[in-house]
Amino acid sequence: MATIYQVAERAGVSLSTVSRVLNGRKTVNPLLREKVEKAVQELNYRPSSVARSLANSRTDSIGVLVAELHTPFFGEMMQAIEMTLRAQDKHVIISVGHNDLAKELDAVEFLISRNCDALILHSEAMSDQDLVALQSRLPVSIINRHVKELDEACFCLDNESGGYSATRHLIEQGHKDIAYISGPGNKADAMLRLAGHKRALQEAGIPFSPESLYEGRFKEEDGINGLKALLAKDIKFSALVCANDWMASGAMSCARDMGLQLPEDLSIVGFDDVVIAHHVYPKLTTVSNPIYEMGEMAAKHILNKVYGQKHQLQHLYDAEMVLRDSVLSASPD
Amino acid sequence: MATIYQVAERAGVSLSTVSRVLNGRKTVNPLLREKVEKAVQELNYRPSSVARSLANSRTDSIGVLVAELHTPFFGEMMQAIEMTLRAQDKHVIISVGHNDLAKELDAVEFLISRNCDALILHSEAMSDQDLVALQSRLPVSIINRHVKELDEACFCLDNESGGYSATRHLIEQGHKDIAYISGPGNKADAMLRLAGHKRALQEAGIPFSPESLYEGRFKEEDGINGLKALLAKDIKFSALVCANDWMASGAMSCARDMGLQLPEDLSIVGFDDVVIAHHVYPKLTTVSNPIYEMGEMAAKHILNKVYGQKHQLQHLYDAEMVLRDSVLSASPD
DNA sequence: GTTTTTATGGAAAGCGCTTTCTAAATCTGA
DNA sequence: TCAGATTTAGAAAGCGCTTTCCATAAAAAC
């Protein structure tokens, strides 16, 4: 591999001149510039990004922390990040945290030890304080979580309004008795979605009953257990909203196992519009989660912050209804 | 950030000694070693991976090329790769090729310009020659594709035997009239799966009829169009095998749209055991694709080749039946 | 007790680039 | 025409490590 010295020699100029040409500095004689470019061509010279990083203490690499990768949600996020970053010649180093505090911290340290210029995080285990502390070490973007002190760096879905839309949609279809399977009480997004649900009920003058609420942990089996528990109670409901699609899918299998016809006997709406939403039967009506855009914005935020670019940023994202086949209009009784 | 100089100074030893301690060389006095370790602790020193890379021309980074990321298949592969590599303190740089030759080549050059020590590829667009040429530039692992000249570096599913198993399973359940929706004719894996199907038929003395074959391109809509086309023909079949789960899912919705009961009127088997297989209705009987293991092995191959480790390698993977609810025993007519 | 080995630590030369500083060359204006 | 301002190019000093080579001290051999 040719080095910058050889280019300089071949072009009959000094190191510095080659470097200037390579970095597009204006102050170089067009004649020399041409010579250098010719030499670069002839030697098929490619600057060493490592040497460059050492010299200017920038690696052009961005670390991304995700909870896991085998899930389409994160895949989409990663793809958005990779595409927008590579277009600017930056590269992304991935690291998975498995939703575990120790592992997440470990992953972050790993990324930092790799001299990343910045980090993009989708963390559930780290505390707000951890994130604030991190931000003081290097620039970060935070996806799908709002940290007050890090307002600028956060890119979130409007979970409350999403939750609102979901049950609002059901109400508009004539449903009055609506059960809810929520995510864990310690997760902000889960609680916001639930809050939206309550607001929609209230607005329609329907009292919220804790009886018709089941708290799950966002897993498929929580959908199964949740619906089972709900059905066992002495309550009636013609519709169910699940705080994510996985639980909705679980609820669907459970419903069928219990002999219910879908969507005739029970309307279901999910949340996130993950790939499976389109493949379950009946196809799931759900709430979109524009993770692709969020990933893109998180990347652009880094581009602005670290590399002096000027992209327009959007921090809060609307959750929109994706209408499919799992909701039926309630027949007036 | 502390440098190695400061550690040396604080420990009262030379640079070289610190470096030796850091790299676990044996030839260093335990007393000094201890001093150095103490200094490292106190200064919270972390070696700069960039400087290290420049000095020993290894970056400890492995580039991974995938067709796309938003699909669970690649996600699982990535996760396997990341986990096994990070355990050895290597990091992975991702790059997506979008199944397009120019983009794949571009992505590869990008990765190389990043001074990756090696590459792991899941490429469909590049030619065998491209791959061979690449191998001569730096070590590679190839997932899900067999290149004769690169035998050592390939980690593949036994597609033929998978195709065989799928059809064989149907035959064992009493099916005789089995339609097949295949992947594109120019893809080796698609053709191998089909070959397995034919072998199973032949073994059972069932003649293969081109009439009952539809060639798709591995997309959901191909499943829809495929089944539609098959049903329109003047043939009977009680079972259908689809060369991947996406087409199987498509075929399922199509079947239902055409008023067929699943699995009573039509048994379906898929291929790959992608997440959705578990969420469609009825749950899809399919053929496993141990992509996780393959990713792990591809990573270990690099570990062996570049970093002198000695992992046991497996190159060919069995495809196993995953029995769920989409296949019914055929009633003998 | 002297010579030969062996173990161990330090000095210094890179690795391939960026960037500051200086010097030479060119240009300005009176 | 000349002092001063302005360009432009080169020399050299890092960036933070690894590693070779050499020197010294300790151990072994005679």
Side-chain angles (χ1 to χ4, degrees):
Chain A
M1 205 60 197
T3 74
I4 197 173
Y5 288 92
Q6 303 172 31
V7 176
E9 194 182 345
R10 182 163 198 128
V13 302
S14 80
L15 266 201
S16 342
T17 306
V18 178
S19 177
R20 288 196 191 94
V21 172
L22 260 33
N23 291 290
R25 299 267 183 287
K26 296 296 171 201
T27 69
V28 47
N29 189 317
L31 218 84
L32 292 194
R33 175 183 299 275
E34 205 166 311
K35 276 196 199 172
V36 170
E37 280 163 355
K38 183 146 165 281
V40 166
Q41 284 284 326
E42 291 173 354
L43 294 171
N44 187 29
Y45 166 75
R46 313 219 159 264
S48 149
S49 57
V50 176
R52 177 174 286 182
S53 294
L54 184 60
N56 66 12
S57 57
R58 260 171 39 182
T59 57
D60 288 343
S61 69
I62 285 86
V64 178
L65 172 74
V66 295
E68 67 210 14
L69 273 167
H70 61 273
T71 252
F73 181 83
F74 289 104
E76 242 180 90
M77 177 177 127
M78 286 301 311
Q79 180 143 330
I81 293 174
E82 198 269 345
M83 286 181 65
T84 94
L85 251 25
R86 181 140 70 91
Q88 307 296 322
D89 251 352
K90 313 301 173 211
H91 69 265
V92 353
I93 301 181
I94 63 163
S95 181
V96 351
H98 300 285
N99 260 326
D100 174 277
L101 179 58
K103 286 183 189 159
E104 279 193 359
L105 291 174
D106 191 67
V108 165
E109 288 307 323
F110 175 78
L111 255 14
I112 291 179
S113 82
R114 245 52 213 191
N115 297 287
C116 290
D117 290 341
L119 259 35
I120 298 179
L121 311 165
H122 186 299
S123 165
E124 304 198 325
M126 291 173 71
S127 72
D128 281 15
Q129 285 176 0
D130 289 333
L131 292 171
V132 172
L134 193 57
Q135 158 86 312
S136 70
R137 296 219 271 160
L138 81 177
V140 300
S141 274
I142 297 171
I143 294 187
N144 231 347
R145 168 163 174 179
H146 185 78
V147 179
K148 262 194 293 295
E149 298 90 328
L150 269 32
D151 211 29
E152 279 287 284
C154 297
F155 300 88
C156 317
L157 179 75
D158 189 341
N159 283 292
E160 202 273 349
S161 111
Y164 172 82
S165 302
T167 87
R168 173 65 196 261
H169 174 68
L170 256 10
I171 292 171
E172 284 171 356
Q173 298 302 309
H175 294 278
K176 289 194 170 54
D177 304 308
I178 304 174
Y180 192 96
I181 299 182
S182 86
N186 58 1
K187 297 225 171 154
D189 52 353
M191 288 305 96
L192 285 168
R193 290 173 188 189
L194 179 56
H197 166 69
K198 290 180 180 170
R199 178 161 65 91
L201 288 183
Q202 184 176 22
E203 192 181 279
I206 303 174
F208 168 76
S209 144
E211 277 295 287
S212 54
L213 171 68
Y214 177 90
E215 181 179 319
R217 287 165 49 243
F218 278 146
K219 302 276 185 197
E220 183 189 357
E221 69 238 41
D222 299 318
I224 300 176
N225 297 333
L227 182 55
K228 217 177 274 176
L230 255 11
L231 253 20
K233 290 183 187 175
D234 191 21
I235 55 172
K236 289 231 157 53
F237 52 94
S238 62
L240 169 69
V241 0
C242 295
N244 80 357
D245 290 345
W246 304 100
M247 298 198 295
S249 175
M252 281 183 164
S253 2
C254 173
R256 258 188 304 260
D257 286 350
M258 309 289 275
L260 296 180
Q261 288 290 322
L262 296 178
E264 291 76 8
D265 298 333
L266 183 65
S267 285
I268 298 185
V269 1
F271 206 118
D272 284 344
D273 196 20
V274 137
V275 248
I276 60 155
H278 184 258
H279 292 274
V280 295
Y281 176 73
K283 292 182 175 160
L284 188 62
T285 288
T286 185
V287 180
S288 74
N289 189 341
I291 184 63
Y292 194 94
E293 281 80 359
M294 289 162 59
E296 196 178 328
M297 282 300 157
K300 286 186 174 170
H301 175 238
I302 298 299
L303 254 15
N304 285 356
K305 204 120 189 250
V306 183
Y307 306 105
Q309 306 193 351
K310 304 247 179 269
H311 298 277
Q312 192 73 10
L313 260 36
Q314 180 184 344
H315 291 271
L316 195 61
Y317 289 80
D318 277 345
E320 282 168 15
M321 290 304 300
V322 179
L323 271 23
R324 287 198 270 254
D325 312 330
S326 65
V327 171
L328 210 67
S329 294
S331 44
D333 9 40
Chain B
M1 206 58 196
T3 75
I4 197 172
Y5 288 92
Q6 304 171 31
V7 175
E9 195 181 346
R10 183 164 197 127
V13 301
S14 81
L15 264 202
S16 343
T17 306
V18 178
S19 178
R20 288 197 191 93
V21 172
L22 260 33
N23 291 291
R25 297 270 182 286
K26 296 296 170 200
T27 70
V28 48
N29 189 315
L31 218 85
L32 292 195
R33 175 184 298 277
E34 206 167 307
K35 274 195 199 172
V36 170
E37 279 164 354
K38 184 148 164 281
V40 165
Q41 284 285 326
E42 292 173 353
L43 292 171
N44 187 29
Y45 166 75
R46 314 221 157 263
S48 149
S49 56
V50 175
R52 177 173 284 183
S53 295
L54 183 59
N56 67 11
S57 56
R58 260 170 39 183
T59 57
D60 288 342
S61 69
I62 286 85
V64 178
L65 172 74
V66 295
E68 67 210 11
L69 273 168
H70 62 272
T71 252
F73 181 82
F74 290 104
E76 243 180 90
M77 176 178 129
M78 287 300 311
Q79 180 143 330
I81 293 174
E82 197 269 344
M83 285 182 65
T84 96
L85 252 24
R86 180 141 70 91
Q88 308 296 322
D89 251 354
K90 314 300 175 215
H91 69 265
V92 354
I93 301 180
I94 63 165
S95 182
V96 351
H98 301 285
N99 262 326
D100 175 277
L101 180 57
K103 286 184 188 160
E104 280 193 359
L105 291 175
D106 191 66
V108 165
E109 288 307 324
F110 175 77
L111 255 14
I112 291 179
S113 83
R114 246 50 214 194
N115 297 288
C116 289
D117 290 340
L119 259 34
I120 298 179
L121 311 165
H122 186 299
S123 166
E124 305 198 324
M126 292 173 71
S127 72
D128 281 14
Q129 285 176 358
D130 289 333
L131 292 171
V132 172
L134 194 55
Q135 158 86 311
S136 70
R137 296 219 272 160
L138 82 178
V140 300
S141 274
I142 297 171
I143 293 187
N144 233 346
R145 168 163 176 177
H146 186 78
V147 179
K148 263 194 294 293
E149 298 90 329
L150 269 32
D151 211 27
E152 280 288 283
C154 296
F155 300 88
C156 315
L157 178 75
D158 188 341
N159 283 292
E160 200 272 350
S161 112
Y164 171 82
S165 302
T167 301
R168 174 65 195 262
H169 174 67
L170 254 11
I171 293 172
E172 284 171 355
Q173 298 303 309
H175 293 278
K176 288 195 172 54
D177 303 308
I178 305 174
Y180 192 97
I181 298 181
S182 86
N186 59 0
K187 296 224 173 157
D189 53 353
M191 288 304 96
L192 285 168
R193 290 173 188 189
L194 179 56
H197 166 69
K198 290 181 181 169
R199 177 160 67 91
L201 289 182
Q202 183 175 24
E203 191 182 279
I206 304 174
F208 167 77
S209 142
E211 276 294 287
S212 54
L213 171 68
Y214 178 90
E215 182 179 321
R217 286 167 47 244
F218 279 145
K219 302 277 186 197
E220 184 189 356
E221 68 237 42
D222 298 318
I224 300 176
N225 297 333
L227 182 54
K228 217 176 275 175
L230 256 11
L231 288 172
K233 291 185 188 175
D234 192 21
I235 55 174
K236 288 234 156 52
F237 52 94
S238 62
L240 169 70
V241 1
C242 295
N244 80 358
D245 290 346
W246 303 102
M247 297 197 296
S249 174
M252 281 185 164
S253 3
C254 172
R256 257 189 305 260
D257 286 350
M258 310 288 276
L260 296 180
Q261 288 291 321
L262 296 178
E264 292 77 6
D265 297 333
L266 182 65
S267 286
I268 297 184
V269 2
F271 206 118
D272 283 346
D273 196 20
V274 137
V275 249
I276 60 155
H278 184 258
H279 293 273
V280 295
Y281 177 73
K283 291 182 176 162
L284 188 64
T285 287
T286 184
V287 179
S288 74
N289 189 342
I291 184 62
Y292 194 94
E293 281 81 359
M294 289 163 57
E296 197 178 326
M297 283 300 157
K300 287 186 173 169
H301 174 240
I302 297 300
L303 253 17
N304 286 355
K305 204 118 190 251
V306 182
Y307 306 107
Q309 306 191 353
K310 304 251 179 267
H311 297 277
Q312 193 71 10
L313 259 35
Q314 180 185 343
H315 291 270
L316 195 62
Y317 288 81
D318 277 345
E320 282 169 14
M321 291 304 299
V322 178
L323 270 24
R324 286 199 270 254
D325 314 329
S326 65
V327 171
L328 211 66
S329 294
S331 45
D333 6 40

